[in-house]
């Protein structure tokens, strides 16, 4: 079983930045892909960013950047120029074969 622990969320003013972290219980190089999703109240969960094992990257917005640290078994989501519509619970995800693992989510609130 894989554990993913997300952290780094919080309250930030519009225009601010946050960096989310997701620490995995095993080597992230073992995953086919890792990703960040978010879910706002009343909305469906949507994918924000994804990196495949070969480094192919998908971003939903230019303001977001996803990176990974193999030594720390951690993936990051750097979010800049945050807007109120970025408010959501952010989840990390890891794909391994046919299995999909989820972290517990971290709340991001963008408000003045």
């Amino acid at each position: 079983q894989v554990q993913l622990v997300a952290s780094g969320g919080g309250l930030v003013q519009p225009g601010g930045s946050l960096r989310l972290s997701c620490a995995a219980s095993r080597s992230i190089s073992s995953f086919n892909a890792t990703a960040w999703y978010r879910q706002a109240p009343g909305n469906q969960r949507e994918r924000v960013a994804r990196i495949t094992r070969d480094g192919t990257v998908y971003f939903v917005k230019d303001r977001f950047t996803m990176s990974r640290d193999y030594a720390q078994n951690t993936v990051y989501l750097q979010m800049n120029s945050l807007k109120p519509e970025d408010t959501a619970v952010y989840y990390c995800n890891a794909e391994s074969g046919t299995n999909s693992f989820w972290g517990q989510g971290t709340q991001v609130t963008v408000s003045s």
Side-chain angles (χ1 to χ4, degrees):
Q1 185 70 7
V2 173
Q3 290 186 329
L4 302 172
V5 180
S7 61
L11 174 63
V12 62
Q13 292 187 344
S17 298
L18 281 176
R19 188 178 79 157
L20 307 183
S21 301
C22 176
S25 59
R26 77 181 199 204
S27 174
I28 59 174
S29 63
S30 69
F31 301 129
N32 298 335
T34 53
W36 286 96
Y37 289 73
R38 68 184 182 186
Q39 187 167 20
N43 291 357
Q44 291 187 339
R45 190 172 296 188
E46 64 172 344
R47 188 167 60 187
V48 173
R50 180 174 183 261
I51 295 181
T52 59
R53 181 183 288 137
D54 65 3
T56 302
V57 175
Y58 171 81
F59 292 126
V60 66
K61 295 187 183 299
D62 292 337
R63 299 178 290 114
F64 292 1
T65 303
M66 186 174 178
S67 61
R68 49 194 177 179
D69 184 335
Y70 289 108
Q72 299 295 325
N73 290 326
T74 300
V75 296
Y76 302 98
L77 183 68
Q78 177 68 42
M79 305 185 293
N80 300 323
S81 302
L82 284 163
K83 303 176 180 180
E85 51 263 41
D86 295 317
T87 295
V89 178
Y90 284 71
Y91 299 90
C92 57
N93 171 269
E95 303 167 22
S96 179
T98 59
N99 296 313
S100 182
F101 303 100
W102 293 92
Q104 84 285 8
T106 184
Q107 175 71 47
V108 172
T109 302
V110 184
S111 175
S112 56

